[in-house]
Amino acid sequence: MATSAQLAVRDAVATLYAGLATVHENRDLALPTGVASHIQLYVVDSNPERNFVSSVAPVDWTTKLRTVIKARLADRVTAERAADALLTQCYANVMADQSLGGLVQQLDLGSIEWDQDEADATVVMVTWEITVIHRTQVNTLT
Amino acid sequence: MSFAALETRLNAAANKRLANATAYLLGGESFAVIFDNTYLAALGGQVTAAQPQASALQSDLDRLDVSVGTALNIRETDYTVRDLQPDGTGWVDVVLEAA
């Protein structure tokens, strides 16, 4: 089964997050009861640099990826600290391999947003976006 | 019998019949509570959580000096009192936070 370059890029980021927490790719899962934290990774959108089709020129795609980190109080570590530790590690891992294994030509940083809510303890969600530029041939998305 | 005395008597009877848990302080003192730990969809449903809350007699809280920040153990779970919300009839909603 062929995989689009967009999902290949997302998979490359997921690999960089492996071992930090459970990573869910393009799934809208609530952080379940009893789970301290998890990471959700999305391809948000992907836009070609040009709309006209040439028979020979490759296409450069600008693809936005969104990382969502959710955490709750666990083992007396507050949700904010747990989410922050995950964010810091996710960032460091991506910055250590900015080409995402050679798949992308350029990586641009996006915003980081924090959301919190009060439950039995404070729960936190951190959203971080990056944009990458990667190339495909005009006749394929792989 | 005055209305206040009737109210106190009614509350004590209700607490005796309806209490479903015991709240323990660090020193070992305890008081009966009506405990609820309902499901809460936090962050707009992004996080599944709980909303622990206990109803207790104002007289018990006064007697044991329970206030915001007091550590309690209910059903073998440690909590901290986040807020005390008296209802004006002798009962107090004790809002709890996981410790």
Side-chain angles (χ1 to χ4, degrees), chain B residues 43-96:
Chain B
L43 280 166
Q46 295 288 332
V47 176
T48 301
Q51 192 172 33
Q53 187 159 316
S55 294
L57 291 175
Q58 177 80 62
S59 55
D60 281 340
L61 302 181
D62 292 343
R63 175 174 55 86
L64 296 169
D65 199 23
V66 175
S67 58
V68 171
T70 297
L72 296 176
N73 183 290
I74 301 174
R75 294 182 179 172
E76 300 183 354
T77 300
D78 292 329
Y79 296 102
T80 303
V81 176
R82 181 193 291 169
D83 197 8
L84 295 168
Q85 301 171 343
D87 73 352
T89 69
W91 289 90
V92 178
D93 286 336
V94 182
V95 181
L96 300 167

Side-chain angles (χ1 to χ4, degrees), chain A residues 29-33 40 70 72-73 76 115-125, chain B residues 37 40-52 78-79 82 96-99:
Chain A
L29 287 175
L31 181 65
T33 302
Q40 291 166 238
K70 298 174 184 172
R72 71 173 85 244
L73 173 79
R76 301 195 180 272
D115 290 293
Q116 53 281 317
D117 198 2
E118 295 297 322
D120 49 349
T122 303
V123 293
V124 170
M125 180 168 71
Chain B
N37 195 21
L40 174 71
L43 280 166
Q46 295 288 332
V47 176
T48 301
Q51 192 172 33
D78 292 329
Y79 296 102
R82 181 193 291 169
L96 300 167
E97 183 171 270

Side-chain angles (χ1 to χ4, degrees), chain A residues 99-132:
Chain A
S99 73
L100 303 180
L103 292 176
V104 307
Q105 283 81 52
Q106 183 176 324
L107 186 150
D108 296 326
L109 293 173
S111 64
I112 303 173
E113 295 182 10
W114 286 263
D115 290 293
Q116 53 281 317
D117 198 2
E118 295 297 322
D120 49 349
T122 303
V123 293
V124 170
M125 180 168 71
V126 180
T127 303
W128 174 42
E129 291 186 342
I130 58 174
T131 302
V132 296

Side-chain angles (χ1 to χ4, degrees), chain A residues 42-65:
Chain A
Y42 301 89
V43 176
V44 179
D45 57 29
S46 187
N47 296 289
E49 60 162 346
R50 57 180 166 75
N51 297 114
F52 72 88
V53 175
S54 159
S55 60
V56 292
V59 180
D60 283 339
W61 295 88
T62 300
T63 299
K64 182 184 289 184
L65 299 163

